[in-house]
Amino acid sequence: MPKVEAPVEKWRGRVQEVRLGGDGRKQVTVGGESTLPFLHFDGEIPHRPVIAAEVLDMPPADWAENVVSAWGDALKSPAAWAKKAAQLGADLIFLRLASAHPEQGNTSGAQAAKTVSQVMEATDLPLIVVGPDVAEKDNEVIVAVAEAARGQRLALGTVTDKNYRTIVATAMAGGHAVVAQAPMDMNLSKQLNILCCDVGLPKDSLVMDPTTGALGYGMEYALSVFERLRLAALQGDAMTAMPILCHAGYESWRQKEAKAVEGVPVSWGDQKVRSLLWEQMTALTLLQSGAEIMVLRHPRSMDVVRGVIDRLMARQGPVS
Amino acid sequence: MALTAIEIYKYLPKTNCKDCGFPTCLAFAMKLAQKGAELSACKHVSEEAKSALEAASRPPIRLVTIGKDGRKVEVGNEVAMFRHEKTFYHQPGLLLRVKDSAAPDKVAQEMAAVASYKVERVGMQLSWNGLAIQNDGGDKAAFLAAVKLAQAHPELALVLMSDDPDTMAAALGDPAVAGRLPLIYAATEANWQKMAALAKQHKCPLAVRAGGLDALATLTEQVAAAGIEDIVVDPGARDFGDSLNALTQIRRLALKKSFRPLGYPVITFPGEKASSQEEEVLLATQHIARYAGVIVLDHFSPAMAYPLLTERLNIYTDPQKPLQMQAGVYPFGKPDPASPLLVTTNFSLTYFSVSSEIESSGFPTWLMVVDTEGQSVLTSWASGKFDAEKISKAAKNFKVEEKIGHRSLVIPGAVAVLRGELEGEFPEWKIMVGPREAVGIGPFLKQNWAR
Ligand code: B12
Ligand code: SF4
């Protein structure tokens, strides 16, 4: 008889499965776990966490030089960018319709539909498409996108408590899913899930964005919110059981630690190394707290983080 | 694990003699459970009961100290699986491993790099804890030479790594080395009697290594029976998956099952299976968040040290109480009544992001810090703790109008919407919207205050 009885947690609940893509496109399913992240000995992990490449519909204005040079000319067109991301092994494309922002060009719904069609031509990966985070414009562009991509099962966003009806109704009509964002609070995430489901959205069409903080900028709060949501889900609360999306790329790369090349202490070290670690460490910490869809910016980070996910998914024999 | 009054009561004499100053043994037990009394107040408990009580009230994970002063590592005594349940208290030690097979001048250089590294974050000085010196080729003289090099940095915590007890004994033979209370790495099935004897003789903590939890628990019991209390365990797991697995199970066994043989801090070596330096750093990241006590890396550079120290700071902050500053008006670079006045919140991270930019701009500046209960600009704005009323109250409290000759106030760009409200509260003031990110503060000051 073994000396050490390895303690196993049996959970009642399970993370909701959500499928994206399909109808001729690749499909990706996330969720379904009956255990905490990567703890294979407690339960099942039917689907590995996935990596989404962040793509903008316009060349980014203020991105760090080392991200810009890593993507090169692809940044000039969202279709080329998405195609390159697919070649680099992304599981999904996270397309941000930044140009629809009233101060960034105020492009129209028709333009958004065109962009999304071009991106869908260029790659068969499933898409997450979000607006510029300005309520009316989000509604305008997302309605047009949902129509153009009917049947392709995108995830549309960003749904918030102030702005959920239109996008949710549009998603339901077009057979899409949504991304619902609440500010750093597990109860607010749960409430928003309830609001969305109350208007008829099926539970398997909802991905949560509980808000991300980068390493050094609120990451530990995000970690605890993710963990508490996941624990509640495993304890059987279906309204906290949606898969989690995490913006490690966006949040890390806007911090000075990732961007600044000069005018910083020598003890910060080489920006090229530091910036990538900032993104990758934020990603790994939050993957281990429950994120299923990790949105990243730098190609190298996508590569490294995927390698680590591989190693965490390789089933380990019992230690004892 | 804290004992309940009833559990304690079982061990007391139950004579109600009142010598302890309490009317009954039960009353005394209740006080003990609340930590309001000391067991020594009862002169009648048997030795047996005393040691049973002490054993039962020991923390589930032993607190172990490596090193003496300076950057000693104090780890263990954790009480939670998840940081939101309580707090993670004892930050894991971060150490660099040097090998005695490497060229001595290179080893000396690496040691000096670790020793001299300092970085400031949120007003704290962060540094690397120490060195692990590995007896790589099995050559005793080379090991002694490398250990000697480390004597140039007495403030660093040390791990001595050799499976050969004679080599270990020789290194510890130097009282200056043993006096630093290094961690002896490691006792194994093959050598544990001799290693335990060394640990006992020099009063040093001892690492115990075995493949798998069964073998590990067997070995720690033997070592503990030999009188060693300060133990650090190494379950031999080296990859992402197996170490997450092993460290989670060790933590669970200690906290949930009060399983003493594994109730010790864990030592990890993230560099051994890593296929790139990034992977090494990421595995160390996992170890910080998931239950390691001592983390021995194989590389060191500022660009990896700074993010790892930040990760450790994040994971080990109190989730209930954000780090915060005292509210007030802070002067930078001898400002006069004509110098610019900026306003921010008292969340440490916010304050230091802003203050470091003001400092590096070189502009004499006033910074008014409003008490927002330690919340960031947008968090406190969204929760009503940083609005026009709070800001104007603070300005009155700190008598800003007496210090400052001009009447303009710079607010963070993220809360540009406050401008209108503030103009209502401060009719004679000019409200200026500053940049969104603190990095813009230098250029902003230059543009608006250059004379
Ligand atoms: C961590 C965090 C929390 C933590 C709190 C951390 C803390 N101690 O403040 C917790 C989890 C507790 C929290 C709670 C809430 N949060 Co919150 N939180 C965050 C998060 C992830 C990071 C905030 C942070 O630490 N930033 C870092 C600091 C340094 O930034 P900063 O203070 O803004 O300072 C920068 C600049 O403003 C500038 N600056 C600062 N001062 C000055 C001064 C001048 C003159 C100038 C020029 C510049 C300048 O310099 C700094 C560096 O550039 C953000 C989202 C995000 N990813 O950013 C949401 C966020 C701030 N939270 C938000 C909300 C709504 C809340 C809640 C109200 C939700 C709720 N209802 O429960 C609560 C409020 C708390 C409460 N109930 O009392 C929203 C705010 C939305 C909005 N735009 O109004 C955000 C933006 C999330 C979102 N996208 O919705 N939150
Ligand atoms: S001194 Fe000891 S035996 Fe006497 S009442 Fe107190 S606890 Fe009981």
Side-chain angles (χ1 to χ4, degrees):
Chain A
M1 200 184 116
K3 188 175 175 58
V4 178
E5 205 70 60
V8 171
E9 301 266 12
K10 277 289 157 234
W11 302 100
R12 276 190 294 139
R14 203 178 248 286
V15 179
Q16 175 67 50
E17 279 188 347
V18 173
R19 178 183 58 78
L20 299 175
D23 194 22
R25 314 188 68 67
K26 277 204 180 112
Q27 286 191 7
V28 162
T29 304
V30 288
E33 306 92 307
S34 56
T35 172
L36 290 166
F38 310 112
L39 297 186
H40 302 277
F41 52 85
D42 280 345
E44 292 165 47
I45 308 177
H47 311 290
R48 48 181 281 145
V50 294
I51 293 172
E54 182 183 349
V55 171
L56 307 192
D57 69 343
M58 60 192 279
D62 56 353
W63 283 22
E65 207 287 315
N66 56 325
V67 195
V68 171
S69 60
W71 288 102
D73 278 346
L75 294 184
K76 290 184 186 145
S77 120
W81 189 345
K83 189 165 177 183
K84 184 156 180 182
Q87 283 160 0
L88 290 169
D91 301 299
L92 288 165
I93 302 297
F94 181 95
L95 176 63
R96 194 187 289 280
L97 298 170
S99 75
H101 195 286
E103 284 156 28
Q104 310 276 343
N106 203 21
T107 53
S108 65
Q111 176 61 43
K114 199 166 134 207
T115 302
V116 168
S117 303
Q118 284 166 350
V119 170
M120 289 193 305
E121 279 288 301
T123 161
D124 64 350
L125 295 185
L127 257 56
I128 303 168
V129 182
V130 304
D133 277 346
V134 177
E136 305 89 79
K137 284 304 283 191
D138 282 357
N139 288 349
E140 179 190 339
V141 293
I142 293 304
V143 168
V145 167
E147 191 51 43
R150 200 168 259 280
Q152 304 286 318
R153 200 157 168 80
L154 317 186
L156 302 172
T158 303
V159 166
T160 67
D161 61 343
K162 292 185 188 65
N163 189 32
Y164 67 95
R165 287 177 185 276
T166 307
I167 298 180
V168 167
T170 310
M172 280 160 58
H176 301 295
V178 305
V179 180
Q181 185 190 64
M184 275 275 153
D185 180 309
M186 89 170 252
N187 293 315
L188 294 179
S189 275
K190 176 175 176 173
Q191 263 175 40
L192 183 56
N193 292 342
I194 294 174
L195 287 175
C196 292
C197 293
D198 276 355
V199 295
L201 187 74
K203 283 209 284 286
D204 67 358
S205 301
L206 190 42
V207 172
M208 293 190 280
D209 167 3
T211 301
T212 304
L215 173 62
Y217 292 89
M219 180 186 74
E220 72 276 29
Y221 292 97
L223 174 159
S224 289
V225 172
F226 288 17
E227 280 185 351
R228 293 179 61 205
L229 281 165
R230 185 48 40 91
L231 287 166
L234 293 175
Q235 281 153 11
D237 181 351
M239 278 302 152
T240 54
M242 288 67 184
I244 294 174
L245 177 143
C246 173
H247 293 285
Y250 174 88
E251 289 294 338
S252 306
W253 284 99
R254 74 191 177 95
Q255 306 308 338
K256 184 174 180 182
E257 275 83 350
K259 274 190 185 166
V261 179
E262 42 191 52
V264 298
V266 188
S267 52
W268 283 20
D270 180 1
Q271 178 264 346
K272 289 203 168 60
V273 179
R274 183 207 325 138
S275 59
L276 287 171
L277 288 175
W278 219 266
E279 179 176 38
Q280 295 164 16
M281 286 168 65
T282 304
L284 179 69
T285 305
L286 295 174
L287 277 166
Q288 297 199 328
S289 316
E292 273 94 3
I293 301 180
M294 185 55 62
V295 190
L296 296 176
R297 235 178 222 187
H298 198 290
R300 168 90 194 150
S301 294
M302 289 167 33
D303 220 36
V304 171
V305 173
R306 184 180 36 252
V308 172
I309 293 175
D310 283 345
R311 292 167 69 163
L312 283 162
M313 286 304 291
R315 224 163 228 292
Q316 307 292 331
V319 196
S320 44
Chain B
M1 196 64 52
L3 290 178
T4 65
I6 299 298
E7 283 163 332
I8 297 171
Y9 177 69
K10 281 191 232 148
Y11 292 101
L12 297 179
K14 306 188 189 70
T15 54
N16 301 335
C17 75
K18 303 188 176 56
D19 289 354
C20 57
F22 291 90
T24 62
C25 294
L26 184 60
F28 181 59
M30 283 159 72
K31 256 297 184 269
L32 279 179
Q34 297 159 9
K35 309 231 181 295
E38 291 290 330
L39 182 61
S40 55
C42 170
K43 303 280 176 258
H44 314 292
V45 271
S46 67
E47 280 307 310
E48 225 173 294
K50 211 187 269 175
S51 55
L53 266 174
E54 269 159 20
S57 60
R58 245 173 26 199
I61 302 172
R62 184 168 174 91
L63 185 68
V64 175
T65 305
I66 301 165
K68 242 182 145 165
D69 27 44
R71 308 192 202 166
K72 73 178 173 200
V73 174
E74 246 186 333
V75 283
N77 201 6
E78 298 297 339
V79 297
M81 294 299 297
F82 303 102
R83 57 186 289 291
H84 66 261
E85 295 171 342
K86 194 82 179 127
T87 299
F88 288 3
Y89 292 104
H90 296 96
Q91 303 195 349
L94 289 165
L95 295 92
L96 172 69
R97 166 160 55 184
V98 294
K99 296 185 174 168
D100 65 3
S101 56
D105 54 337
K106 197 175 153 261
V107 170
Q109 236 173 42
E110 290 190 320
M111 288 177 172
V114 166
S116 63
Y117 184 77
K118 280 201 301 278
V119 65
E120 195 186 305
R121 191 172 172 83
V122 268
M124 284 180 257
Q125 285 286 345
L126 309 177
S127 52
W128 221 240
N129 296 89
L131 298 166
I133 301 169
Q134 172 140 34
N135 179 215
D136 202 22
D139 177 18
K140 192 192 281 183
F143 190 60
L144 296 183
V147 172
K148 188 142 200 216
L149 288 176
Q151 292 303 86
H153 310 289
E155 74 283 12
L156 295 179
L158 269 194
V159 179
L160 300 180
M161 302 179 66
S162 176
D163 284 356
D164 174 28
D166 286 341
T167 303
M168 192 62 78
L172 291 166
D174 180 348
V177 174
R180 292 174 70 167
L181 303 183
L183 174 66
I184 300 174
Y185 182 99
T188 63
E189 252 162 68
N191 70 12
W192 69 267
Q193 284 98 337
K194 285 184 174 164
M195 288 294 194
L198 282 173
K200 198 157 187 183
Q201 182 191 343
H202 297 289
K203 301 191 171 57
C204 290
L206 177 63
V208 172
R209 182 184 75 232
L213 302 189
D214 276 336
L216 189 59
T218 307
L219 204 51
T220 57
E221 280 186 313
Q222 286 168 324
V223 167
I228 307 299
E229 295 185 313
D230 289 330
I231 294 175
V232 170
V233 292
D234 176 2
R238 292 293 181 269
D239 208 338
F240 284 85
D242 61 350
S243 80
L244 180 65
N245 191 333
L247 271 72
T248 304
Q249 292 193 352
I250 290 173
R251 181 82 149 225
R252 273 191 198 164
L253 282 159
L255 294 188
K256 301 198 161 181
K257 307 274 173 198
S258 304
F259 185 66
R260 298 285 172 203
L262 293 177
Y264 301 103
V266 184
I267 186 169
T268 65
F269 298 90
E272 285 188 7
K273 277 271 177 80
S275 58
S276 67
Q277 252 185 67
E278 281 153 304
E279 271 190 13
E280 176 178 358
V281 174
L282 288 175
L283 187 46
T285 302
Q286 170 181 311
H287 290 151
I288 291 171
R290 292 286 184 243
Y291 316 139
V294 183
I295 303 172
V296 179
L297 288 109
D298 287 315
H299 296 89
F300 179 84
S301 73
M304 61 183 264
Y306 179 42
L308 281 172
L309 290 165
T310 305
E311 173 92 18
R312 183 172 77 173
L313 196 64
N314 274 187
I315 301 292
Y316 280 79
T317 50
D318 181 343
Q320 258 71 41
K321 273 205 302 292
L323 296 169
Q324 44 188 291
M325 301 294 300
Q326 191 159 6
V329 178
Y330 291 75
F332 289 87
K334 300 210 174 69
D336 60 30
S339 303
L341 171 68
L342 277 57
V343 62
T344 191
T345 77
N346 78 329
F347 182 30
S348 286
L349 180 61
T350 303
Y351 170 84
F352 284 103
S353 305
V354 172
S355 65
S356 73
E357 296 301 330
I358 296 178
E359 271 163 14
S360 61
S361 79
F363 265 89
T365 300
W366 301 101
L367 180 62
M368 177 163 78
V369 176
V370 178
D371 181 359
T372 57
E373 297 168 30
Q375 291 188 355
S376 76
V377 169
L378 278 174
T379 308
S380 59
W381 175 75
S383 63
K385 296 183 178 103
F386 190 59
D387 57 17
E389 198 191 321
K390 293 264 156 55
I391 295 172
S392 73
K393 263 206 190 123
K396 277 192 199 98
N397 266 345
F398 309 141
K399 305 201 167 49
V400 165
E401 302 206 345
E402 291 170 21
K403 287 191 182 107
I404 307 236
H406 64 83
R407 290 288 173 263
S408 61
L409 173 67
V410 183
I411 62 172
V415 289
V417 291
L418 276 181
R419 182 189 191 155
E421 260 180 73
L422 275 166
E423 282 167 350
E425 292 275 340
F426 292 92
E428 65 277 28
W429 280 67
K430 176 175 158 211
I431 306 299
M432 298 170 75
V433 175
R436 223 188 142 86
E437 301 292 341
V439 274
I441 288 177
F444 177 84
L445 292 176
K446 207 181 225 164
Q447 196 183 343
N448 290 283
W449 268 268
R451 314 168 196 184

